[in-house]
Amino acid sequence: MAGIGFVLRKLASRDDYLGITRAFIHASVVSSGPWIMTVISLGLIYFFTEKIVVFEQAITFRTIMIYNFSFSLVLASPVYMITTRYVSDQIYLKDVHTIPGVMICSLATALLYSLPLAGIFYFTKSSLPLFLSIQAVLNYLLLSILWISMLFFSAIKNYQSLTLAFFLGILIATLASIFLAFPFGASGMLFGFNVGCAFIVFALFGVILAEYPYRFRIPPNFFSYFRRFKDLAIAGIFYNGGIWIDKWLMWFAPNADISPLGLPTNTTYDTAMFVAFLTIIPVMALFIFSIETNFFETYLSYFHSLQQNASYRLLEEKEKKIFNKILENGRNFIILQGSLSLTFILIAPSIFELLSMSYLQLGIFRLGVLGAFFNMLVLFILVFLSYFDSRENYLRISFILFASNFIFTWISRDLGFVFYGYGYFFAMACTFLISAFILINYTNSLSFQIFITNNVYRLPVRVPTKKTLKKLK
Amino acid sequence: MRAVMGKQKMNNPHEADICLIAEGSYPYIEGGVSTWTHDLIKEQKERSFTIVSLMPPTEVPKYRYTLPDNVVGIKTLFLQHLPKGKRAFGKNKYLIEMIEEPLNQYLTGDFYKEFDRVHDVFAAYRHVLGRHILVESKEAWNMIVRLYKAIQPDGPFLDFFWSVMVMSRAIYSILLPSLPRARLYHSLSTGYSGMLLARAKKEMQAPCLLTEHGLYTTERRIEIAVSDWFGHPESLNLSFDYRKHTLRDFWLNAFVNAARLCYQAADEIITLFEGNKEAQIRHGADPRKMQVIPNGIDFEKYVQFTKKEEGHPPTVALIGRIVPIKDIKTFIRSVVLLKKRLPNVRAFIIGPTDEQPEYYEECRTLVEHLKLEEDCFFLGKVSLTQYLPNIDLNILTSLSESQPLVILEAGAAGVPAVTTKVGSCPELIEGRQDEMPPLGRGGIVVPLSNPRSVADAAFRLLTNPNLYAACSHSLKSRVETYYRKELQHNAYRNLYTKYLGD
């Protein structure tokens, strides 16, 4: 995350509104590119093909997309987390020569275990025709690659090309699936979507390799990171699994749909939640921008003073500043997103009319908007904690998010339709309260955490174990 | 076979006669003290030894010596390394408060007076104390901040933090682990070993001996003086404030405290030469406990090389590791001066070059600059006896020494010496004050870092056959009379018998 701050600030420092707007667009692409892409293309494709494609075909397409999206995200997340850590360490050490190698190794690792799973799933567990299965697996492959390639962009300065790649990719995906929908049905739509995805993937590869034009070599110690930072890998699974677990559970609710393929989904719940999630994107972009620029400066200033051997009094002052920055950012987000979310909740009926959505989904949507609001707050708390490398708390919060969403959604599902959506909402609200408590506690004793708890300043004591000593004798 | 022996030793660790406490030396690091220790154990065959070896916590150490059969146990203690211990414990706050004042004293006052208190706390809570409470707890952090505010409220916090961290962890790592049982404890230096000796005295009520080779406190003082960490360039600027100053002082104060503790605990304080006594007394050693047992050499081995090889050009040699403390550069500069008056002179520098490669590089560059490539040779680590017949004069320019054996070894072969006035060098060259009958001088003692004096002294010895013969003879007789290995070993045998019986 640290890398992108400088460029964003440069963009914004053009001091005209256009500059700032552009920075926002880039920030939102970086933070939520694939998500926006999928939801927007799905919406567009759905809107345009509604009249021309058999309902079953559209459902098939949608089901495959949702399955691939959620499972590729969760399964790629351990590799994503570990690789992010590795890349930022490499950048810190100013050794970016390894990046092409890291990219290939991380993709290979992620696909090594998740691609066979996807293959087995589509070829044996579902009743998809062969061509559609191939397209589905291909789609899974492309999405997985997309998640992992995205992380290299936090280190790359070329945001314009990233945004452009996504814009063109969405355009291609949407147009291609619309045009292929009528003659070829679901497999045509999927193929079209894959073409768009492939375009983005190749464009991203091009930009990354142009930025780091080094020969491939196996990155040193890369694989040992999986052992050293297994807490991060596990936290990745919990967090991403945690924001999907309510959907997965709802696929088995009494009102769930069984698609022609035999794969369950819950259109009522899923669509409402997806659209609800879109409501936080503008403020999220703003907030990422704010963290990466003004918070990051305060943060750096603390560490500079530390390294320049400042007095404790000065460090205490800077510590207070960091604390205040976090509060300030949190307050801004709550006010902005809070009013925005409230507006969406109030004008929900009009939105539903505009998008021609079912009023049955209104309650779920409203709870989804509130839940997403808290969900984002949790995400930002995680971002702050990762700035201080507090992996223990990161893992703790991710686990709470997963567990609470699981439990509350299960309960709300049992309570019946009227309560659908409450599970996610309560889970996110609870996780937020707990993680806010953790963050405040943490930043209140920041120096203690940095000097003592954090690995960075732990003494370099490497002691042989009794076993190795015995061996030497 | 060693493996089998090792196993046997580990099974029976508690019945040793003598527990030797070594710091940064035997059996993992080669050097003067380690070789001395190895010889001591081998010579005192009838006694069983257990060894506590204190090591820095960086590398996995390897044995550099084959342990003699009478070593029945070895315990390696890594400084600063602590067991995890309990995480939360009802008395965290109380424990940390008990440690706070002594730590303050360790940095700025008289820790040795507080030692008993700290020791008792550790003894009582040994089973719960560890990294979690002592280092990683909030109470421990608050204590460091309080100490900082009390001692150095506006100083550089990071440096302070590190110093306190390293020092306190080192003390904890000395106080926590259990001690091996033995009937007598013998520490080979003050410092952390000395602190461990103080613990042994208190816990085991066994007799405690201290043999101090070099003066630990003095050696650390020099180390601190040359260390980069303390001397940032900006400390030389106009605002000569107290900050950097105190950081140095903390460390020195800590070592002085450790020395005091050790002197108090020891029943016998043995040193290699008279000159050390003064500093020991200054740091609280009781003169009544003190005695000198100089190191000896194998006189018969070296005396064979008395006869010089015919026809070699006049040759001076510096025998020692190529490190700054030996001040090799002064030697090289003196060779230039000597060469002006004695053009065919040749110089050998005999000793390992790999300990501080960058210093070795600097010395080589100096040789090139002074155009001495044809006259001054780095021979590396070679056998001294091979070169003795070709060496006329032994020169030692060290900034610090305890009792350099090379003066004795070359002296036994009739090679007189020019040495700086450090450690026991004056005693070796001019004899102890109570030497009876006086044997005369065995060379010339010169001031520190003074190439001209070294060159003058060497010139006089090399060009005045009468003086040379006299010095050669008296140094040889002195070595034969006072510095033979048998004398050293007998002295220690008697000491051990005094405390352990026959």
Side-chain angles (χ1 to χ4, degrees):
Chain A
M1 280 300 210
I4 84 172
F6 298 110
V7 185
L8 287 181
R9 205 161 44 238
K10 207 171 77 195
L11 286 172
S13 68
R14 295 172 61 182
D15 264 346
D16 53 30
Y17 285 106
L18 183 69
I20 290 178
T21 325
R22 280 179 56 186
F24 284 163
I25 295 170
H26 294 309
S28 48
V29 171
V30 173
S31 57
S32 47
W35 173 251
I36 301 178
M37 172 192 158
T38 316
V39 175
I40 290 181
S41 351
L42 272 183
L44 286 174
I45 294 166
Y46 187 74
F47 186 74
F48 284 110
T49 56
E50 205 183 2
K51 304 275 155 23
I52 51 173
V53 180
V54 192
F55 180 67
E56 272 186 6
Q57 294 289 320
I59 286 285
T60 303
F61 170 69
R62 231 183 58 103
T63 307
I64 292 173
M65 287 303 301
I66 292 174
Y67 270 66
N68 278 348
F69 191 89
S70 66
F71 287 107
S72 64
L73 185 71
V74 176
L75 285 173
S77 58
V79 178
Y80 181 91
M81 296 294 277
I82 297 289
T83 312
T84 308
R85 175 68 201 217
Y86 186 83
V87 169
S88 50
D89 284 358
Q90 293 293 304
I91 289 171
Y92 179 76
L93 296 171
K94 298 202 166 59
D95 184 13
V96 290
H97 288 74
T98 48
I99 285 187
V102 178
M103 195 167 84
I104 290 168
C105 285
S106 58
L107 288 174
T109 317
L111 296 176
L112 191 72
Y113 63 83
S114 70
L115 202 55
L117 288 176
I120 291 167
F121 179 76
Y122 281 116
F123 285 109
T124 65
K125 296 289 172 209
S126 72
S127 48
L128 258 60
L130 181 66
F131 184 68
L132 196 55
S133 295
I134 295 173
Q135 286 303 318
V137 174
L138 200 60
N139 181 258
Y140 179 88
L141 175 81
L142 287 167
L143 285 174
S144 301
I145 295 176
L146 204 55
W147 304 141
I148 291 174
S149 327
M150 285 298 294
L151 74 92
F152 293 94
F153 268 82
S154 64
I156 282 183
K157 300 156 198 80
N158 204 340
Y159 285 110
Q160 286 86 345
S161 54
L162 179 68
T163 314
L164 191 66
F166 266 96
F167 178 74
L168 288 177
I170 293 173
L171 202 66
I172 293 172
T174 313
L175 292 178
S177 12
I178 292 170
F179 282 117
L180 294 172
F182 179 61
F184 303 110
S187 49
M189 290 161 88
L190 201 52
F191 181 77
F193 192 83
N194 282 348
V195 171
C197 277
F199 174 83
I200 299 176
V201 165
F202 286 121
L204 295 192
F205 276 15
V207 175
I208 294 167
L209 292 178
E211 187 84 11
Y212 303 107
Y214 310 113
R215 285 173 55 138
F216 169 80
R217 60 183 168 122
I218 300 270
N221 299 326
F222 176 66
F223 293 102
S224 71
Y225 265 55
F226 283 89
R227 200 162 10 91
R228 262 175 75 193
F229 296 106
K230 53 178 178 297
D231 43 0
L232 275 183
I234 298 168
I237 295 180
F238 275 136
Y239 180 77
N240 290 299
I243 54 178
W244 275 96
I245 187 71
D246 59 314
K247 283 106 197 155
W248 294 339
L249 285 175
M250 293 308 289
W251 292 351
F252 300 96
N255 75 329
D257 313 295
I258 301 293
S259 77
L261 316 168
L263 302 176
T265 54
N266 190 331
T267 317
T268 316
Y269 186 84
D270 295 346
T271 330
M273 280 297 176
F274 291 162
V275 179
F277 223 82
L278 286 177
T279 62
I280 49 161
I281 284 172
V283 181
M284 179 159 95
L286 179 84
F287 195 69
I288 293 272
F289 176 73
S290 170
I291 293 181
E292 290 288 352
T293 52
N294 76 37
F295 170 75
F296 188 58
E297 266 167 19
T298 322
Y299 165 90
L300 272 187
S301 150
Y302 178 92
F303 281 96
H304 281 162
S305 312
L306 184 79
Q307 272 151 10
Q308 284 162 8
N309 240 326
S311 69
Y312 186 73
R313 199 178 317 175
L314 192 65
L315 290 180
E316 257 180 335
E317 271 169 36
K318 306 246 165 180
E319 188 184 327
K320 200 159 272 161
K321 271 192 188 150
I322 289 183
F323 186 67
N324 289 338
K325 268 280 171 303
I326 291 176
L327 282 187
E328 186 189 310
N329 274 306
R331 192 196 59 202
N332 288 349
F333 179 84
I334 289 174
I335 292 173
L336 259 175
Q337 183 61 51
S339 42
L340 199 66
S341 295
L342 272 179
T343 314
F344 277 116
I345 288 170
L346 291 174
I347 63 163
S350 327
I351 300 174
F352 273 48
E353 212 153 314
L354 188 74
L355 298 176
S356 55
M357 285 167 71
S358 156
Y359 274 88
L360 274 177
Q361 295 170 299
L362 200 59
I364 300 172
F365 172 77
R366 283 174 164 158
L367 289 166
V369 170
L370 281 176
F373 169 69
F374 288 118
N375 193 342
M376 269 311 108
L377 280 169
V378 172
L379 181 64
F380 294 142
I381 288 172
L382 288 177
V383 169
F384 285 129
L385 287 171
S386 61
Y387 266 100
F388 299 108
D389 198 26
S390 173
R391 302 203 301 274
E392 204 183 328
N393 284 320
Y394 199 108
L395 179 59
R396 204 172 281 158
I397 295 173
S398 304
F399 176 74
I400 293 170
L401 186 135
F402 180 87
S404 61
N405 202 8
F406 185 94
I407 295 166
F408 286 129
T409 305
W410 191 286
I411 296 171
S412 76
R413 193 183 64 180
D414 281 354
L415 288 174
F417 188 82
V418 190
F419 294 92
Y420 288 1
Y422 276 104
Y424 175 71
F425 164 67
F426 274 127
M428 293 306 137
C430 282
T431 312
F432 165 68
L433 287 179
I434 297 170
S435 48
F437 179 74
I438 291 176
L439 181 71
I440 287 173
N441 235 346
Y442 190 89
T443 38
N444 257 335
S445 55
L446 195 60
S447 291
F448 167 71
Q449 308 288 355
I450 286 168
F451 277 91
I452 308 281
T453 319
N454 229 327
N455 285 324
V456 186
Y457 285 97
R458 195 166 280 177
L459 293 168
V461 175
R462 203 151 48 80
V463 168
T465 58
K466 273 195 184 136
K467 221 167 153 191
T468 53
L469 270 181
K470 259 184 196 151
K471 253 187 228 159
L472 284 169
K473 284 166 199 161
Chain B
M1 181 192 146
R2 217 154 99 195
V4 177
M5 258 162 42
K7 211 168 190 179
Q8 224 173 359
K9 280 166 201 163
M10 301 311 289
N11 286 343
N12 188 15
H14 42 81
E15 283 300 331
D17 295 324
I18 297 149
C19 173
L20 288 179
I21 307 170
E23 180 176 333
S25 58
Y26 196 74
Y28 298 115
I29 292 173
E30 280 172 284
V33 177
S34 293
T35 310
W36 183 94
T37 313
H38 192 64
D39 288 348
L40 174 82
I41 299 171
K42 273 198 310 198
E43 285 298 322
Q44 313 296 331
K45 277 191 209 60
E46 61 285 358
R47 305 288 181 195
S48 61
F49 287 86
T50 183
I51 298 164
V52 175
S53 183
L54 304 182
M55 290 294 289
T58 43
E59 292 294 319
V60 178
K62 284 193 184 113
Y63 284 1
R64 301 286 171 185
Y65 297 83
T66 311
L67 297 181
D69 286 341
N70 51 334
V71 174
V72 295
I74 172 155
K75 182 177 179 108
T76 311
L77 243 172
F78 294 95
L79 278 178
Q80 296 180 46
H81 172 68
L82 303 172
K84 279 188 184 150
K86 286 234 169 76
R87 195 176 280 277
F89 173 64
K91 292 180 177 168
N92 272 15
K93 203 161 172 232
Y94 161 79
L95 282 174
I96 294 292
E97 270 165 14
M98 290 297 285
I99 299 169
E100 180 166 348
E101 184 48 31
L103 266 186
N104 192 346
Q105 293 296 325
Y106 191 58
L107 298 173
T108 60
D110 297 331
F111 171 74
Y112 66 98
K113 290 180 188 158
E114 308 270 346
F115 180 76
D116 284 355
R117 222 167 88 190
V118 189
H119 177 270
D120 293 345
V121 173
F122 275 78
Y125 297 103
R126 189 155 291 151
H127 53 292
V128 288
L129 285 177
R131 225 166 56 215
H132 283 323
I133 294 176
L134 293 169
V135 179
E136 289 165 10
S137 72
K138 211 137 186 190
E139 289 86 356
W141 161 257
N142 291 337
M143 176 189 73
I144 294 183
V145 174
R146 278 199 303 272
L147 282 174
Y148 168 86
K149 285 179 175 162
I151 298 172
Q152 213 193 6
D154 285 309
F157 184 70
L158 189 62
D159 281 353
F160 183 88
F161 172 78
W162 269 81
S163 297
V164 175
M165 210 51 168
V166 173
M167 288 185 198
S168 59
R169 279 184 81 129
I171 301 185
Y172 304 153
S173 67
I174 291 291
L175 289 174
L176 270 181
S178 63
L179 286 177
R181 294 207 154 274
R183 294 163 61 206
L184 177 148
Y185 291 81
H186 186 174
S187 173
L188 306 178
S189 68
T190 63
Y192 296 113
S193 301
M195 217 184 271
L196 205 64
L197 190 75
R199 228 191 104 186
K201 182 79 198 170
K202 215 172 135 44
E203 281 173 35
M204 307 294 183
Q205 275 94 36
C208 288
L209 311 185
L210 163 69
T211 298
E212 202 167 18
H213 292 83
L215 291 180
Y216 191 92
T217 329
T218 313
E219 284 166 11
R220 295 295 90 75
R221 194 184 290 275
I222 292 169
E223 226 171 72
I224 290 169
V226 298
S227 156
D228 291 340
W229 187 29
F230 300 93
H232 302 294
E234 62 262 37
S235 69
L236 297 172
N237 68 13
L238 290 173
S239 60
F240 185 74
D241 49 27
Y242 62 100
R243 296 201 227 144
K244 307 275 147 72
H245 191 67
T246 33
L247 198 57
R248 262 199 185 107
D249 288 352
F250 296 156
W251 286 87
L252 290 178
N253 190 65
F255 292 126
V256 169
N257 266 305
R260 273 182 186 277
L261 261 180
C262 181
Y263 292 144
Q264 271 179 359
D267 296 297
E268 305 269 352
I269 299 167
I270 302 135
T271 185
L272 300 180
F273 56 96
E274 290 288 326
N276 269 353
K277 281 186 175 175
E278 197 188 315
Q280 288 180 320
I281 293 170
R282 200 168 58 238
H283 289 145
D286 180 350
R288 284 166 300 180
K289 295 182 187 171
M290 291 164 59
Q291 61 170 301
V292 171
I293 302 180
N295 286 341
I297 58 150
D298 188 349
F299 183 76
E300 275 67 34
K301 177 179 163 191
Y302 291 96
V303 78
Q304 310 165 36
F305 299 95
T306 309
K307 199 168 179 301
K308 292 280 168 290
E309 201 163 277
E310 296 287 321
H312 66 260
T315 306
V316 296
L318 185 145
I319 307 154
R321 298 163 295 134
I322 317 294
V323 291
I325 205 156
K326 300 279 177 191
D327 200 4
I328 309 289
K329 288 178 184 171
T330 290
F331 175 72
I332 296 170
R333 290 196 181 97
S334 73
V335 173
V336 179
L337 298 172
L338 185 58
K339 200 175 143 60
K340 283 187 185 145
R341 297 155 78 180
L342 206 63
N344 63 337
V345 77
R346 144 182 100 145
F348 292 158
I349 300 174
I350 301 175
T353 56
D354 52 357
E355 197 164 317
Q356 285 190 29
E358 61 286 4
Y359 184 73
Y360 172 54
E361 242 355 273
E362 285 169 35
C363 290
R364 298 236 341 214
T365 317
L366 185 63
V367 167
E368 276 167 37
H369 275 280
L370 299 174
K371 307 218 175 346
L372 282 177
E373 293 103 319
E374 304 293 313
D375 317 284
C376 188
F377 306 95
F378 291 92
L379 301 182
K381 193 185 170 188
V382 292
S383 152
L384 174 62
T385 49
Q386 189 190 337
Y387 284 91
L388 268 179
N390 290 307
I391 295 172
D392 299 308
L393 188 60
N394 182 13
I395 296 183
L396 212 61
T397 48
S398 302
L399 300 175
S400 169
E401 281 289 352
S402 55
Q403 192 207 343
L405 291 178
V406 287
I407 293 183
L408 303 177
E409 288 164 351
V415 180
V418 172
T419 79
T420 41
K421 196 176 174 207
V422 291
S424 70
C425 293
E427 271 175 49
L428 298 181
I429 301 298
E430 289 159 1
R432 276 163 73 164
Q433 280 170 346
D434 55 357
E435 189 174 80
M436 227 0 137
L439 296 171
R441 22 177 233 191
I444 299 174
V445 177
V446 294
L448 290 183
S449 1
N450 191 332
R452 184 157 300 279
S453 310
V454 176
D456 283 348
F459 182 77
R460 274 171 62 202
L461 279 164
L462 289 173
T463 53
N464 184 341
N466 289 338
L467 176 68
Y468 186 91
C471 287
S472 170
H473 177 75
S474 37
L475 189 54
K476 194 175 184 176
S477 331
R478 181 167 298 120
V479 175
E480 190 176 8
T481 324
Y482 296 108
Y483 295 102
R484 291 182 14 197
K485 239 183 176 138
E486 304 86 86
L487 299 172
Q488 174 199 342
H489 294 314
N490 284 337
Y492 276 100
R493 185 163 291 119
N494 294 339
L495 253 182
Y496 286 156
T497 310
K498 175 177 167 192
Y499 288 100
L500 299 174
D502 285 316

